[in-house]
């Protein structure tokens, strides 16, 4: 098991999928991090040197990910609601925010547009 930023990963797991398991780190950020640290695309977590694991942890700790990012999204939505902006009102009513159709098919918006988003 390899310990990266508070999580244990099995040694057989790909570095790419291990990085993408963090909230806020997608394929593009993963590609950039791996290129910056000279890690091959098909590298496994167990094959990383201790120095690479430390560098990876340092890079991830400088990024806004996990709880910090979730809190930031919640604060942005709360700010829009308090301001009375159109988008904030749409969030409050649990309706589509970005101009989607409302005559039918609003079930997904009702699931996503809650006050405590992702929390």
């Amino acid at each position: 098991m390899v310990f990266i930023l508070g999580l244990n990963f099995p040694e057989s797991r790909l570095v790419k999928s291990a990085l993408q398991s963090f909230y806020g780190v997608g394929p593009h950020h993963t590609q950039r991090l791996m290129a910056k640290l000279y890690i091959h695309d098909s590298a496994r977590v167990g094959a990383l040197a201790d120095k690479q694991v430390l560098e990876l942890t340092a890079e991830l700790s400088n990024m806004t990910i996990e709880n910090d990012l979730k809190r930031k999204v919640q604060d942005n939505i709360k700010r829009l609601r308090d301001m009375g902006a159109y988008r904030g009102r749409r969030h409050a009513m649990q309706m589509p925010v970005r101009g989607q159709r409302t005559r039918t098919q609003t079930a997904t918006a009702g699931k996503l547009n809650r006050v405590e988003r992702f929390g």
Side-chain angles (χ1 to χ4, degrees):
M1 299 295 267
V2 178
F3 191 72
I4 299 175
L5 204 67
L7 293 176
N8 285 323
F9 294 105
E11 295 183 1
S12 60
R13 189 159 183 192
L14 289 173
V15 176
K16 187 183 232 179
S17 67
L19 289 176
Q20 289 181 10
S21 69
F22 291 105
Y23 179 81
V25 181
H28 184 48
H29 287 293
T30 301
Q31 186 97 20
R32 271 197 353 220
L33 275 173
M34 290 175 67
K36 186 175 183 179
L37 300 175
Y38 304 107
I39 299 172
H40 194 268
D41 287 340
S42 62
R44 304 273 175 186
V45 174
L48 294 177
D50 290 337
K51 182 182 176 187
Q52 286 179 318
V53 172
L54 290 175
E55 290 174 347
L56 196 59
T57 304
E59 286 292 329
L60 287 172
S61 65
N62 290 335
M63 295 172 61
T64 305
I65 57 173
E66 292 291 329
N67 291 331
D68 296 335
L69 184 59
K70 290 178 186 178
R71 191 175 309 112
K72 188 175 182 181
V73 169
Q74 287 176 357
D75 290 344
N76 287 340
I77 292 172
K78 187 175 183 311
R79 178 181 53 82
L80 288 171
R81 290 186 65 200
D82 294 343
M83 192 184 336
Y86 179 76
R87 284 174 48 206
R89 287 184 305 195
R90 300 294 281 191
H91 274 290
M93 293 186 292
Q94 297 182 6
M95 294 181 76
V97 176
R98 297 183 181 177
Q100 294 94 333
R101 168 185 190 95
T102 56
R103 186 171 180 177
T104 59
Q105 303 172 350
T106 60
T108 305
K111 291 178 199 171
L112 293 178
N113 293 338
R114 294 203 167 85
V115 178
E116 277 72 53
R117 188 164 203 173
F118 303 116

